[in-house]
Amino acid sequence: MIAVLAILRESWLYLRSEMLFKVVMGLNVLVIVAYASISFDDTGISLFFGLTHVDSEYVRGGTQFARTLYLGIYSAVIVNFWLAWAASILALISTSSIFPSFLSEGSVELMLSRPTRRTTIFMTKYAGGLIFVMLQVGVFTLGAFLAAGWRVGEWDATIFLAIPLITLFYSYLFCINVFVGVITRSTLVALLATLLFWFGTFGIRTADDLVNHYVIVTESIEARTATRVAQLQKEHDDAVAAGDEKEAKNVAYWLTSPKEEHEQAQTTLGQLRPWAAMLSTLRVIMPETARTLGLLHRSLERDMDMTFQDLRSGRAFEDPEEAAGQDEFDAYWGSGQNQTDTDDERRRKRQRAFNQAEREAAETMIERENAIPAWRIIGKSLLFEALVLGLAIWIFRRRDF
Amino acid sequence: MPAAIQINDVHKTFRRGVKALRGVSMQVDPGQVFCLLGPNGAGKSTLVKILMTVIHASKISGTVLGKPIGHKPTLKRVGYLPERHRFPKYMTAEQALHFYGGLVCMRRKHRLLRIQQMLDLVGMSSWRKHKVGTFSKGMQQRVGLAQALLHDPELLLLDEPTDGVDPVGRRAIRDLILHLRSEGRTILINSHILAELESICDQLAVVVKGRVSLEGTVEDLTRGERRWIVQYRNVDLEWEDVAAESGPAGVRITLPGEDAGLAQPIIDRIRAAGGTITKVSQERESLEDLFMRALELAEDRDGATPGAAQGRDA
Ligand SMILES: Nc1ncnc2c1ncn2[C@@H]1O[C@H](COP(=O)(O)OP(=O)(O)O)[C@@H](O)[C@H]1O
Ligand SMILES: [Mg+2]
């Protein structure tokens, strides 16, 4: 135990001696001060402690909009941009050298020749890096918590959820960093490999989301057109049976467009599905960096009547009944289909139908995301991390120095 | 009393096939100063690192302080000064010693006391608040020694302790080692510098290319290699049957053998001729001579150049 504390203390002294550490801490404070500088009054929003003022009819002091906006800035801008990207890259740069410096010739011998087992040394050093991040996020969230309480009277302790979640997210990257660091003993290579890995997971996730989105859009079009085709086919058959040749011809004419659309959708699905399968397999293997952060948004917005997303899309300002709107699919392919429509009107209807498909797909995606239980997201990622660490420890234990 | 270190047939082949040790056996008795000599690359550091679990041997059997090699808890009783060690340069001398004391599980109170004592012992007390990164090689070496002694170990492994230290510092280290021996500690020293070890080592082994080439006490190894030296000047004499060479200090005669009677006729003859005798002394083989002999032995054995070989063979 004394040995573990000694190693942690040494890591701390090391990080503190790094210039970057001070820079990162300073930047953190700066961002939080900027956040706290936003305030709301009777006429709108004031930024930088009153330096600039934006007049707003809706977003004023004491309104629901102000509250949602303020917390939304935290969850969507500060967490998503600052903590998840900028601060994480800075933290990676400062912690990348922990292992290579510890393993450098002349200093590693003394540590390995003490009674502490190599696995313990490794895990302690690893924990040291994570504690550093935890500390950084901890200071940060405390600032955000106080700012939110002060500015919009929202004393929301869920903000502190950022500490474990960001640390978890960071640990998925840090395990790769340490793995490469142990093998190569090079800070730069370890850093580069980690960034590559990170962009890799980012790329896979983005591609997977995109492909899935289009699979859903195409599936819904395929389903709607299938219904319409079946319906018109029946009308056509009925007309033929009744001997109404004119009607049959007429219906056959109306059938061509949905049929084409249907076939088109099927071809597209055939092309998308193998990609979707490949990407989701890759995604099963990779740790869930984005989804882990997503858990934070989920909890932050859990009790809100209005989300930041609503605010940004403008839906928050719409009349909900009006927004529900009509079924654009029906207007284009369904009962709303009007035989007197001009080509132009038909084109517009088609566009609106597709827009609706996109909107619905986006909602389905969000629902699906929210339906994934937290334990699965975290559990799966931790499994990945454990495997990488296990391999790194195995190599580290067998290594001669 | 069991041996402090006892190893049999240690082999180490590194990845990429470098054979650093090829069957080393030796025994270090408690309370002794044991010197491990050998040219660079002979495998001395590798051997010490194996004892300290920094390197895994390819094949090994033996004990350190009565426990099998690799038994981690035993390492609490062993002090180690690695070759070319570098303390984390962002730490002060005191912080570094706290760190290494912590690694051997010393309590803080105990550490505070021992750190003060050890820094006094190596003469670095006034530097304890300074960053290790600013120290000279010799100062770092002293702090390194303080580190090795911190937890009051029974056995000390010092890898090139005088490396980079000035003559005054070397002398201090030598005295320190003798002091430590007088306290009953066992000390194993690795070195390729011979002269300074001569006066302090009880036992030695010369390692060449991963094998022990000569081993024993200094007494044993240099016995039978005694000789008398007579040196004179101010007279020209012809010598038969004795080795005489003239140098700037006069003529020097070397007489192999231990009997002092050997020198008497020579002295008589010089005095009779009116010469001035400047020196009469008994000498034994120096460690350096011994070292060269070990290299020759290894050369005969392996039929290869003895120097700092790679130890790489088919
Ligand atoms: N970690 C290592 N990996 C590969 N080869 C090594 C390693 N350490 C030492 N060697 C090789 O083993 C041989 C013996 O080295 P060493 O024990 O340091 O010699 P010495 O201390 O006697 O000068 C050298 O040829 C060296 O290159
Ligand atoms: Mg060496």
Side-chain angles (χ1 to χ4, degrees), chain A residues 10 105 112 118 397 400, chain B residues 12 54 56 72 86 90:
Chain A
E10 190 261 351
E105 200 192 335
L112 298 186
R118 285 193 187 188
R397 284 177 51 130
D400 292 324
Chain B
K12 176 63 193 179
V54 175
H56 308 283
K72 279 276 189 187
R86 265 178 302 155
Y90 42 87

Side-chain angles (χ1 to χ4, degrees), chain B residues 198 214 218 221-227 283-293:
Chain B
E198 203 158 358
L214 272 179
V218 178
L221 289 172
T222 52
R223 183 174 300 147
E225 297 289 332
R226 303 281 162 114
R227 57 207 168 200
E283 284 188 359
R284 63 180 196 197
E285 191 183 33
S286 72
L287 221 46
E288 196 167 322
D289 297 332
L290 193 69
F291 190 76
M292 295 316 288
R293 191 148 61 88

Side-chain angles (χ1 to χ4, degrees), chain A residues 123-138:
Chain A
M123 286 314 290
T124 311
K125 280 266 165 196
Y126 187 72
L130 294 186
I131 290 173
F132 161 74
V133 173
M134 228 184 248
L135 209 84
Q136 200 183 313
V137 182

Side-chain angles (χ1 to χ4, degrees), chain B residues 206-225:
Chain B
V206 184
V207 180
V208 183
K209 287 179 72 187
R211 284 207 187 100
V212 175
S213 176
L214 272 179
E215 190 190 5
T217 63
V218 178
E219 286 293 307
D220 283 346
L221 289 172
T222 52
R223 183 174 300 147
E225 297 289 332

Side-chain angles (χ1 to χ4, degrees), chain A residues 2-3 6-7 10 13-14 17 105-107 109-116 118 397-398 400-401, chain B residues 12 49 52-56 72 75-76 78 80 85-87 90-91 99-100 102-103 106 147 151:
Chain A
I2 296 177
I7 297 171
E10 190 261 351
L13 287 174
Y14 171 66
S17 75
E105 200 192 335
S107 69
E109 288 93 338
L110 266 178
M111 263 179 107
L112 298 186
S113 64
R114 306 288 86 177
T116 319
R118 285 193 187 188
R397 284 177 51 130
R398 290 167 42 97
D400 292 324
F401 290 94
Chain B
K12 176 63 193 179
K49 284 181 178 180
M52 295 309 295
T53 71
V54 175
I55 287 178
H56 308 283
K72 279 276 189 187
L75 296 175
K76 260 187 216 177
V78 184
Y80 175 41
H85 80 276
R86 265 178 302 155
F87 282 146
Y90 42 87
M91 284 182 163
F99 172 49
Y100 293 108
L103 284 183
M106 291 169 72
Q147 169 277 134
H151 50 298

Side-chain angles (χ1 to χ4, degrees), chain A residues 400-401, chain B residues 14 18 20 39-46 83 309-310:
Chain A
D400 292 324
F401 290 94
Chain B
F14 283 109
V18 178
N40 290 324
K44 307 180 297 291
S45 299
T46 305
E83 184 179 25
Q310 276 287 297

